[in-house]
């Protein structure tokens, strides 16, 4: 991957990484396995600036709004300015 690493969050035994232009990845240090997510998988944008996890969901801030990954269903939902944010750049 040639995109620049931007954000990092711990989620149990895994790490979430975000990339400027490359989406996000879930990395499992014990196995060395990485799963990548992009706009094609449901992220609102591939320019992801920040990430945090609360055990149930993973939240990704981007240049085009917020994407929430619901861990139980493995689906993304997105929120943009017109739905309540002051700005899309998070």
């Amino acid at each position: 991957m040639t995109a620049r690493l931007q954000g990092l969050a711990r989620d149990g035994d895994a790490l979430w990484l975000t990339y400027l232009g490359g989406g996000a990845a879930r990395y499992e240090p014990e196995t060395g396995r990485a799963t990548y997510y992009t706009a094609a998988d449901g992220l609102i944008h591939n320019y992801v600036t920040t990430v945090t996890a609360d055990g149930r969901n993973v939240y990704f801030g981007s240049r085009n709004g917020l994407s929430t990954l619901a861990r139980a269903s493995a689906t993304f939902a997105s929120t943009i300015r017109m739905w309540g944010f002051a700005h899309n750049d998070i």
Side-chain angles (χ1 to χ4, degrees), residues 1 4 8 15-17 19 32-33 42 49 54 65 87:
M1 176 173 293
R4 190 177 97 201
L8 176 70
L15 298 173
W16 284 97
L17 303 101
Y19 300 93
R33 181 177 177 212
T49 56
D54 67 8
H87 195 278

Side-chain angles (χ1 to χ4, degrees), residues 2 4 6 40-41 45 54 60 74 76 78:
T2 59
R4 190 177 97 201
Q6 175 69 18
D41 301 301
H45 200 282
D54 67 8
F60 303 93
F76 284 95
S78 296

Side-chain angles (χ1 to χ4, degrees), residues 30-68:
E30 283 190 21
T31 64
R33 181 177 177 212
T35 305
Y36 294 90
Y37 299 90
T38 66
D41 301 301
L43 279 173
I44 197 165
H45 200 282
N46 284 332
Y47 199 99
V48 184
T49 56
T50 189
V51 61
T52 192
D54 67 8
R56 289 187 354 204
N57 299 309
V58 184
Y59 305 91
F60 303 93
S62 78
R63 283 199 164 169
N64 202 33
L66 177 74
S67 288
T68 303

